[in-house]
């Protein structure tokens, strides 16, 4: 496998990128001047150095003074009575841009595969349960998953997993 094929394989791992699009990325990079590739490589390295994952909601954020939680979780004006559960960071950002929701978030980390046997290793259901059990002000949980068979299955799975906790704490 040559370098073009290896890089194509890496780009194919990106969400929504197939073989042809991945190959286009490789040829695009080859056509650019060397400084472009060096700058891209440096920015990818910096991305890992300058970001962290929030310990509360699991959102990726730009580090500020080595804090362990993001600006949403740290903000005292964020409504802690509502918790919206989303699949991934990009879903959170889309909802946030709408400026309609002002509560807390939790990133599940993916959707539950319909035929998946080991679901707990693919999504953060145990972390979610712990977060809800430790929340004093929580009154409502909003499930915001894609409208698809996987999204519906994830919705059902999360509801089943949270049913007892929500009943005990009187959470909608």
């Amino acid at each position: 496998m040559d370098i073009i094929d290896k890089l194509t394989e890496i780009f194919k791992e990106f969400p929504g990128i197939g073989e042809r699009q991945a190959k286009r990325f490789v040829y695009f990079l080859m056509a650019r001047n060397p400084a472009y590739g060096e700058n891209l490589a440096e920015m990818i390295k910096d991305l890992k150095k300058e970001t962290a994952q929030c310990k509360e909601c699991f959102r990726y954020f730009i580090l500020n003074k080595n804090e362990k939680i993001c600006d949403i979780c740290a903000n005292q004006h964020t409504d802690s009575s509502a918790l919206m559960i989303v699949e991934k960071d990009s879903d959170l950002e889309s909802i946030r841009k709408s400026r309609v929701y002002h509560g807390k978030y939790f990133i599940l980390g993916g959707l539950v595969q319909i035929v998946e046997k080991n679901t707990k290793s693919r999504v953060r259901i145990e972390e979610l349960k712990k977060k809800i059990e430790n929340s004093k002000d929580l009154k409502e949980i909003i499930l915001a998953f894609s409208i698809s068979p996987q999204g519906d299955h994830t919705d059902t799975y999360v509801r089943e997993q949270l049913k007892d906790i929500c009943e005990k704490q009187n959470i909608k």
Side-chain angles (χ1 to χ4, degrees):
M1 184 178 272
D2 64 26
I3 189 69
I4 293 173
D5 292 336
K6 288 178 185 173
L7 199 49
T8 300
E9 288 301 312
I10 289 172
F11 285 133
K12 279 177 30 183
E13 293 176 17
F14 284 47
I17 303 300
E19 175 91 29
R20 289 177 51 194
Q21 187 69 39
K23 194 74 86 174
R24 282 190 205 112
F25 289 165
V26 174
Y27 288 120
F28 171 81
L29 290 172
M30 289 190 307
R32 302 299 297 223
N33 65 30
Y36 185 89
E38 290 167 16
N39 186 37
L40 178 62
E42 200 59 41
M43 290 178 81
I44 291 170
K45 286 182 201 170
D46 289 346
L47 179 67
K48 285 296 194 177
K49 289 180 200 167
E50 297 177 18
T51 59
Q53 193 171 37
C54 179
K55 302 296 181 207
E56 293 285 320
C57 69
F58 294 93
R59 169 183 174 237
Y60 287 101
F61 68 101
I62 304 297
L63 282 170
N64 289 331
K65 302 175 226 146
N66 292 329
E67 294 195 20
K68 301 211 187 283
I69 61 172
C70 69
D71 58 326
I72 298 171
C73 293
N75 187 340
Q76 299 202 353
H77 299 293
T78 302
D79 180 6
S80 59
S81 70
L83 178 67
M84 182 176 291
I85 303 169
V86 296
E87 175 191 351
K88 57 190 180 291
D89 286 78
S90 58
D91 298 331
L92 183 152
E93 293 302 326
S94 295
I95 293 165
R96 202 160 172 221
K97 280 181 187 174
S98 74
R99 297 179 188 228
V100 176
Y101 176 74
H102 304 288
K104 300 261 183 175
Y105 293 91
F106 186 88
I107 297 174
L108 196 59
L111 294 177
V112 177
Q113 303 290 323
I114 294 172
V115 295
E116 182 73 38
K117 297 289 184 222
N118 191 11
T119 302
K120 291 180 181 180
S121 68
R122 295 189 46 87
V123 295
R124 298 184 188 101
I125 197 67
E126 293 304 318
E127 293 89 337
L128 177 59
K129 287 179 183 179
K130 204 175 295 178
K131 180 175 181 69
I132 294 169
E133 287 171 345
N134 295 333
S135 295
K136 295 170 180 62
D137 302 331
L138 189 59
K139 292 181 174 63
E140 179 181 23
I141 295 173
I142 302 162
L143 302 178
F145 303 120
S146 60
I147 301 173
S148 67
Q150 263 186 285
D152 291 342
H153 183 65
T154 303
D155 181 276
T156 303
Y157 174 77
V158 172
R159 285 175 191 270
E160 287 172 12
Q161 293 293 312
L162 301 181
K163 184 179 178 188
D164 293 339
I165 299 168
C166 290
E167 286 176 0
K168 190 187 308 179
Q169 295 185 3
N170 199 25
I171 299 171
K172 287 196 305 183

